[in-house]
Amino acid sequence: DAGVTQSPTHLIKTRGQQVTLRCSPKSGHDTVSWYQQALGQGPQFIFQYYEEEERQRGNFPDRFSGHQFPNYSSELNVNALLLGDSALYLCASSPTTRYNEQFFGPGTRLTVL
Amino acid sequence: SQQGEEDPQALSIQEGENATMNCSYKTSINNLQWYRQNSGRGLVHLILIRSNEREKHSGRLRVTLDTSKKSSSLLITASRAADTASYFCATDVWEHGGATNKLIFGTGTLLAVQP
């Protein structure tokens, strides 16, 4: 049983560009959450998707958007990249009935130059 | 913003010793969880304690929760070099009379276990 997978592993972009990160949840999980982790900090909640809709959102600007597909996989899009967007982006999945049990993927390391 | 803070920021011990790290949080919670992270990669869930529980054990891990002080502690007994990692507490926040689905993480404790 595959766990949560994320792609790509690493990504380098320049300021002003747009980026799309991808996440496949653990089998049987229908809820996907995204987190941003800056170097030396704890992860910060970006948003959560369930039934292809955004259910919860953290304190992030509209440049951060997402999508969930019918197979429960998800994408995180960031527009107009800033240097401060450089971080590890973590995806977590959970089943609706036990949403506390969040399983995290290995993350995507985004560097903005 | 971070929900809380962890103390100490960094801890270095010898193999076989016990490691204790503390977490404080700010608002009402539904539950509190501890995660481990190796070398800036994915987070591994260690243990969950509910707001109506005071202590929980899992293998070499012991977690306590004091909701009156809004604090929790994680004790790792008989530490091993493989326990070297960053440890984060995370709270599932209670808002507007209901549980939310978002985890709010602390700032983390970097534990180094020397062989």
Side-chain angles (χ1 to χ4, degrees), chain A residues 57-112:
Chain A
R57 190 177 182 92
N59 189 25
F60 278 80
D62 292 344
R63 298 187 298 109
F64 289 78
S65 63
H67 188 77
Q68 185 179 34
F69 299 92
N71 66 352
Y72 308 124
S73 67
S74 177
E75 288 182 349
L76 164 65
N77 301 292
V78 187
N79 295 322
L81 285 167
L82 304 174
L83 296 179
D85 295 332
S86 294
L88 180 68
Y89 288 85
L90 296 162
C91 169
S93 72
S94 57
T96 308
T97 54
R98 299 187 306 277
Y99 63 85
N100 291 331
E101 299 178 8
Q102 296 200 23
F103 289 78
F104 282 81
T108 293
R109 173 75 62 187
L110 172 65
T111 302
V112 182

Side-chain angles (χ1 to χ4, degrees), chain B residues 4-109:
Chain B
E5 295 182 356
E6 288 167 76
D7 172 61
Q9 287 188 330
L11 177 62
S12 182
I13 59 174
Q14 297 292 318
E15 253 188 338
E17 293 182 336
N18 295 341
T20 300
M21 50 204 88
N22 305 294
C23 164
S24 62
Y25 56 91
K26 300 174 184 175
T27 62
S28 297
I29 63 170
N30 188 38
N31 60 62
L32 185 143
Q33 304 179 57
W34 286 88
Y35 285 84
R36 184 185 74 221
Q37 185 177 41
N38 291 86
S39 302
R41 299 304 289 172
L43 293 155
V44 175
H45 181 264
L46 296 176
I47 194 167
L48 178 151
I49 185 167
R50 303 191 187 283
S51 58
N52 61 353
E53 296 176 314
R54 292 296 167 259
E55 187 172 312
K56 201 161 185 179
H57 297 256
S58 176
R60 295 185 294 114
L61 305 180
R62 172 178 171 259
V63 169
T64 62
L65 178 64
D66 187 335
T67 52
S68 67
K69 296 181 179 178
K70 291 186 168 58
S71 67
S72 173
S73 68
L74 171 67
L75 168 68
I76 304 174
T77 60
S79 64
R80 306 165 182 168
D83 294 329
T84 295
S86 291
Y87 291 81
F88 294 91
C89 67
T91 51
D92 181 11
V93 180
W94 194 267
E95 286 180 350
H96 310 300
T100 67
N101 300 320
K102 58 184 179 183
L103 292 180
I104 307 297
F105 285 82
T107 51
T109 292

Side-chain angles (χ1 to χ4, degrees), chain A residues 5-27:
Chain A
T5 60
Q6 292 186 244
S7 63
T9 304
H10 295 87
L11 203 52
I12 299 175
K13 291 283 189 178
T14 56
R15 280 180 299 176
Q17 286 189 314
Q18 178 264 342
V19 68
T20 297
L21 311 181
R22 295 176 176 82
C23 170
S24 291
K26 185 176 169 64
S27 178

Side-chain angles (χ1 to χ4, degrees), chain A residues 42-53:
Chain A
Q44 293 207 22
F45 177 81
I46 303 175
F47 42 54
Q48 184 180 83
Y49 276 84
Y50 170 68
E51 290 190 340
E52 302 179 47
E53 292 195 358

